[in-house]
Amino acid sequence: MHHLVIDIGNTNSKIAVFKMRELIHFESVHHLDQSRIAEIIRDYGISHSAVSSVSDEHKGLISFLKINTQYTEFSVRIQMGIKNNYGTGTTLGLDRWAKVIAAHRLYPGQDCFMIDCGTCITYDLLNRKQEYDGGSISLGLNMRFQALAHFTGRLPLVKWDKEILRIPAGSNTNNAILNGVLQGAVYEVDGFIAHQYANNNKVRIMITGGDAPFLMEQLKDRSYGHSLIHEPYLVLKGLNEAIAFEQHVQKN
Ligand SMILES: Nc1ncnc2c1ncn2[C@@H]1O[C@H](COP(=O)(O)OP(=O)(O)OP(=O)(O)O)[C@@H](O)[C@H]1O
Ligand SMILES: CC(C)(CO)[C@@H](O)C(=O)NCCC(=O)O
Ligand SMILES: [K+]
């Protein structure tokens, strides 16, 4: 039995196939193509599927999955014993909830702090009592570069090569922007983590999203560095756990 899970983000869609808990296929695409999904369903003999999306589009894709697989409607209704104290449950991003579900399964009974560095940077805490109180939503790196160029007369849109891990000193306009955006984001993430770590140095700190490798590199020498876990597939793992959970519920 193979599970197909899709994390539709604001920049990219992440697609994965799981065989039980093992991820056997992953791809990230800018545009979701239904024919590619049909191909994956056929090639991997997909039995079940689930989707998390940051928008209400993709109704066509979801109908297609409902017809061709056993589809799990992923929502905050799937709780697995977690108490959700978020005031606006209906507007909570499903990608955020999927990370909460994944953390709950990966490290049950432990404090888990999830950081997603994608289009936005999000911070979410699931505490050891299995309570979720929400977290923080902040600007992603690309958005910061775009905003500086968009809202000013004289600042260019700077190109950042995320493979270059060193942050330059702000010695000219280009580098001052690179330094402000990159070092600023590192200080921001560092501050959020340090705050959690000061409360509890056993907290599991998971970093996911497209810019996670950059952050991991920048933060590795911090006092909490040994507690950082790079979890590239956290949203996808949460969706996979939701499928497994729903199957279990249906059987019992
Ligand atoms: N097409 C692109 N152009 C520029 N930057 C990109 C592009 N795709 C990804 N990035 C970089 O990756 C980050 C987003 O990575 P990720 O793959 O996690 O995207 P995402 O799918 O938008 O995340 P999310 O699920 O939060 O929407 C951006 O901040 C940017 O640095
Ligand atoms: C914050 C993002 C954009 C991160 O992908 C997404 O989770 C979202 O659209 N959330 C909705 C608002 C909320 O989570 O309360
Ligand atoms: K919006």
Side-chain angles (χ1 to χ4, degrees):
M1 288 219 293
H2 289 171
H3 298 170
L4 168 65
V5 294
I6 307 175
D7 163 22
I8 304 175
N10 281 298
T11 306
N12 295 309
S13 293
K14 279 71 70 182
I15 305 169
V17 176
F18 283 89
K19 180 180 177 182
M20 307 290 277
R21 287 203 157 110
E22 185 197 352
L23 184 145
I24 59 170
H25 176 78
F26 171 79
E27 62 192 84
S28 174
V29 296
H30 199 59
H31 288 290
L32 256 185
D33 178 15
Q34 194 164 300
S35 62
R36 177 66 191 131
I37 298 299
E39 211 169 73
I40 293 174
I41 291 175
R42 199 181 52 237
D43 291 356
Y44 288 93
I46 299 296
S47 55
H48 294 71
S49 66
V51 172
S52 142
S53 175
V54 295
S55 79
D56 291 329
E57 294 157 35
H58 311 289
K59 295 243 162 34
L61 171 73
I62 288 164
S63 317
F64 182 79
L65 291 173
K66 282 180 178 165
I67 293 165
N68 292 287
T69 66
Q70 207 164 314
Y71 180 75
T72 296
E73 191 94 55
F74 184 70
S75 76
V76 289
R77 188 186 51 79
I78 296 175
Q79 297 197 313
M80 301 189 186
I82 300 164
K83 184 153 189 290
N84 185 355
N85 295 324
Y86 205 58
T88 52
T90 52
T91 68
L92 173 64
L94 291 182
D95 54 345
R96 297 176 65 195
W97 189 243
K99 280 171 281 210
V100 172
I101 296 284
H104 173 62
R105 284 301 207 215
L106 287 169
Y107 304 105
Q110 299 182 45
D111 291 305
C112 294
F113 191 52
M114 291 78 77
I115 302 161
D116 194 333
C117 198
T119 310
C120 298
I121 305 179
T122 58
Y123 305 86
D124 288 293
L125 180 73
L126 174 68
N127 74 22
R128 71 188 87 172
K129 293 184 281 183
Q130 303 185 21
E131 294 160 339
Y132 173 71
D133 295 321
S136 316
I137 302 171
S138 172
L139 290 80
L141 298 184
N142 198 37
M143 200 182 283
R144 296 177 195 217
F145 287 116
Q146 301 269 357
L148 288 175
H150 183 81
F151 292 108
T152 62
R154 299 178 61 175
L155 298 186
L157 178 58
V158 167
K159 261 185 113 65
W160 171 49
D161 177 358
K162 66 170 85 184
E163 308 300 322
I164 300 173
L165 297 170
R166 206 184 60 81
I167 301 174
S171 51
N172 55 46
T173 300
N174 195 75
N175 286 351
I177 292 172
L178 280 169
N179 187 276
V181 167
L182 299 175
Q183 194 61 63
V186 169
Y187 285 142
E188 175 190 308
V189 176
D190 177 51
F192 274 100
I193 297 175
H195 179 75
Q196 292 301 329
Y197 197 73
N199 282 339
N200 169 18
N201 65 12
K202 301 262 187 312
V203 63
R204 300 282 178 174
I205 307 158
M206 283 157 255
I207 305 194
T208 194
D211 295 328
F214 169 76
L215 278 179
M216 288 295 296
E217 176 63 25
Q218 299 301 320
L219 299 172
K220 67 177 198 288
D221 296 328
R222 299 292 203 274
S223 58
Y224 52 73
H226 62 281
S227 309
L228 294 178
I229 309 160
H230 184 203
E231 271 286 353
Y233 311 115
L234 206 51
V235 176
L236 298 164
K237 284 182 178 178
L239 294 172
N240 185 51
E241 291 298 337
I243 294 175
F245 180 76
E246 286 294 280
Q247 274 174 265
H248 179 77
V249 167
Q250 276 164 18
K251 278 197 202 122
N252 295 282

